[in-house]
Amino acid sequence: MVKLDQEIEEKVNGLTLHVVETKKYKTNTLVLKMKAPLTKEDVTKRALLPYVLQSATKQHPTSTELRSYLDELYGASLSVDLGKKGEYHIITIRLEIANEVYLSDQTPLLDKGLTLLSEILLHPALENGAFIPSVIEKEKRSLKQRIQSVFDDKMRYASLRLVEEMCKNEPYALHANGQMEDVDQISAPSLYEYYQRSIKEDEIDLYIVGDVQVQEIKNSVEKLFSLESRVPKNIEKNTISIDKENEVIEEQDVKQGKLNIGYRTNITYHDSEYYALQVFNGIFGGFSHSKLFINVREKASLAYYAASRVESHKGLLMVMSGVDAKNYDQAVTIIKEQMTAMKNGDFTDKELEQTKAVLRNQLLETIDTSRGLIEVLYNDVLAEVKQPIEDWLTKIEEVTKEQIIEAGAKIELDTIYFLKGKEEA
């Protein structure tokens, strides 16, 4: 049995503090997560916000000053990113800082790191009571580039388009980086107004992983983060009924076609069948020993790549493959055959055991880094469950063939999306 470090969780001043005391790392990792429902009105402002926050604070009012202060903290690293988990839009602010326990010079680095994180969140650099216009303009240009980069990368573009078609009238259709046409309308005052609302309403979780003392951390957080208490906005779960499968074919100047297929699993991280779904996907298309890889890519030589993944909080299973237009029909047929085989329990005990072993190793590898561990723990917040990682490992191990077939019975094909080259048409 794997013995894992325990997470201690406490409510402190309007946020939830999660501490994992461990001697495994030479650094301390501080991660702040802000969660709000995905909405068309706010998605683009929200995509811009973390980049503006990390560029300067009241104490370090320019990007250069902030970066040189990070250097002073023994080369601490600061980064932000955005994610979409189910119908939620998540802002992440990360600070990784050396642990003073391992340094000859006992600078109170952890306390300085927490202070800096609280400044980034609560005391941004302002001008005339709003964000600094020049910072906003610079970050808007960068945001446009991030949005554009998805269109330039056809694998990512095809995944995005599948989701847009499949989830047309659902918030999940929105891209985490927002919408190009809304970027120009954002001003320093309008973003500052949105920021103030986020600080009041977002569900905020602070994770600290490292060789630390819980009580010390709690005292620091109480002192540095004074937020109003809040009731997080939760999203109603909708069940989508599928009348018939949807086929979308798009032509662009691409060398190699992209065939992406979306299924509704009707199972999310919250559900007891989730573990069976993970094993189902592993045998179906998650790994290099999976049916898609072997039958579509290896045996039939139809695809340059063929794999599948599960979106755990929205309950989708997506197939991604690279296929020439002339092989489109045959590729769709073989992918559908593999899905039917899975639903019928047409897989061996060896495939089942191999998949469980790979899932187990994948999870252990993920939680071997502090960042990975935090991402795994945060699933509990998103799904509103308490699921210790040991249980996750045990439950994967206990999945039976019957449970996989039962999970498979819930999976429905929703949308087939194909991006093909013009000359192939």
Side-chain angles (χ1 to χ4, degrees):
M1 186 66 201
V2 182
K3 187 73 198 94
L4 299 163
D5 300 303
Q6 292 311 304
E7 170 192 18
I8 292 154
E9 186 180 301
E10 281 200 47
K11 297 271 183 234
V12 181
N13 291 357
L15 61 74
T16 307
L17 174 65
H18 309 254
V19 183
V20 179
E21 292 185 39
T22 174
K23 295 196 181 326
K24 206 156 133 190
Y25 314 107
K26 294 275 188 287
T27 57
N28 291 325
T29 303
L30 287 56
V31 173
L32 192 94
K33 297 263 187 194
M34 299 172 68
K35 160 177 168 266
L38 268 167
T39 66
K40 198 170 175 358
E41 304 77 63
D42 296 334
V43 67
T44 313
K45 284 186 283 225
R46 194 173 177 84
L48 186 63
L49 183 59
Y51 293 93
V52 171
L53 293 178
Q54 75 152 356
S55 62
T57 68
K58 188 177 174 182
Q59 205 57 33
H60 309 282
T62 68
S63 190
T64 315
E65 284 173 77
L66 181 56
R67 295 292 150 188
S68 78
Y69 181 63
L70 287 166
D71 289 342
E72 280 172 41
L73 299 179
Y74 288 87
S77 74
L78 170 68
S79 62
V80 298
D81 68 36
L82 287 148
K84 175 172 80 164
K85 301 269 186 188
E87 317 266 50
Y88 292 108
H89 202 185
I90 318 292
I91 288 175
T92 302
I93 304 173
R94 283 191 201 88
L95 186 66
E96 195 146 328
I97 195 161
N99 189 332
E100 60 255 36
V101 175
Y102 302 103
L103 299 173
S104 51
D105 157 24
Q106 298 291 302
T107 312
L109 284 178
L110 180 60
D111 208 52
K112 289 191 168 190
L114 274 167
T115 304
L116 179 60
L117 196 58
S118 77
E119 282 175 21
I120 289 165
L121 181 68
L122 301 171
H123 306 289
L126 304 178
E127 196 176 281
N128 304 325
F131 287 125
I132 300 168
S134 59
V135 171
I136 298 285
E137 289 314 312
K138 176 176 167 286
E139 293 304 339
K140 276 161 67 170
R141 287 193 295 276
S142 299
L143 179 58
K144 285 180 176 177
Q145 285 164 354
R146 282 193 293 281
I147 296 171
Q148 185 57 44
S149 71
V150 177
F151 292 90
D152 299 338
D153 175 343
K154 294 308 172 193
M155 264 169 93
R156 282 168 68 203
Y157 174 77
S159 297
L160 172 87
R161 287 287 297 116
L162 170 67
V163 168
E164 283 179 348
E165 291 293 341
M166 190 170 168
C167 304
K168 250 194 187 99
N169 302 312
E170 302 162 68
Y172 193 73
L174 295 163
H175 193 269
N177 283 330
Q179 309 180 93
M180 188 71 94
E181 62 272 20
D182 294 343
V183 178
D184 285 334
Q185 294 154 23
I186 301 172
S187 66
S190 72
L191 188 66
Y192 186 62
E193 196 182 310
Y194 177 71
Y195 155 76
Q196 289 177 299
R197 197 170 89 221
S198 297
I199 293 295
K200 266 202 182 71
E201 297 176 358
D202 280 17
E203 183 172 358
I204 299 180
D205 289 82
L206 173 59
Y207 288 83
I208 297 170
V209 176
D211 188 357
V212 296
Q213 255 60 55
V214 172
Q215 196 49 51
E216 258 175 54
I217 297 253
K218 200 183 156 198
N219 297 343
S220 293
V221 170
E222 271 175 348
K223 188 174 81 215
L224 293 165
F225 292 84
S226 47
L227 293 155
E228 295 169 29
S229 61
R230 68 227 29 232
V231 177
K233 295 181 173 175
N234 285 335
I235 286 159
E236 293 300 308
K237 270 204 186 144
N238 298 331
T239 312
I240 304 291
S241 55
I242 301 165
D243 310 325
K244 61 174 189 14
E245 64 188 58
N246 179 18
E247 184 186 45
V248 179
I249 295 180
E250 191 177 326
E251 276 183 34
Q252 274 193 19
D253 195 6
V254 290
K255 288 199 169 49
Q256 176 202 339
K258 308 277 178 268
L259 168 61
N260 287 41
I261 301 180
Y263 294 86
R264 303 247 175 200
T265 66
N266 301 297
I267 297 168
T268 66
Y269 194 88
H270 192 93
D271 301 314
S272 57
E273 305 98 323
Y274 177 71
Y275 306 93
L277 175 66
Q278 281 290 348
V279 180
F280 180 106
N281 180 60
I283 303 173
F284 172 64
F287 305 112
S288 57
H289 66 266
S290 305
K291 289 188 178 297
L292 290 182
F293 191 86
I294 288 167
N295 294 294
V296 185
R297 187 172 177 263
E298 305 280 287
K299 285 188 185 163
S301 301
L302 285 178
Y304 302 92
Y305 59 92
S308 66
R309 68 177 186 86
V310 168
E311 204 299 343
S312 304
H313 298 283
K314 177 67 179 160
L316 306 178
L317 187 155
M318 329 265 212
V319 174
M320 297 77 66
S321 64
V323 175
D324 289 331
K326 62 176 189 298
N327 298 328
Y328 170 73
D329 291 329
Q330 200 188 347
V332 170
T333 302
I334 296 183
I335 292 167
K336 284 182 174 177
E337 283 168 4
Q338 303 319 306
M339 179 53 84
T340 305
M342 284 303 303
K343 288 180 171 225
N344 293 338
D346 180 6
F347 50 86
T348 63
D349 290 345
K350 181 173 177 260
E351 285 173 283
L352 178 57
E353 289 317 311
Q354 195 178 1
T355 300
K356 286 180 180 180
V358 179
L359 280 166
R360 178 190 170 81
N361 290 341
Q362 195 181 47
L363 180 68
L364 291 173
E365 220 169 87
T366 304
I367 62 171
D368 203 33
T369 67
S370 50
R371 280 175 69 158
L373 174 64
I374 291 166
E375 292 305 321
V376 171
L377 293 173
Y378 191 58
N379 284 321
D380 284 5
V381 173
L382 291 161
E384 298 174 50
V385 290
K386 262 283 156 248
Q387 180 68 283
I389 292 168
E390 289 92 337
D391 290 11
W392 205 100
L393 291 163
T394 308
K395 285 177 176 171
I396 287 286
E397 208 44 61
E398 289 169 351
V399 169
T400 63
K401 186 166 192 163
E402 290 65 45
Q403 288 170 328
I404 294 171
I405 295 168
E406 279 167 30
K410 292 188 153 191
I411 299 174
E412 303 171 277
L413 174 58
D414 186 310
T415 300
I416 299 172
Y417 170 83
F418 187 49
L419 176 65
K420 66 174 180 180
K422 289 188 168 149
E423 68 286 348
E424 298 188 300

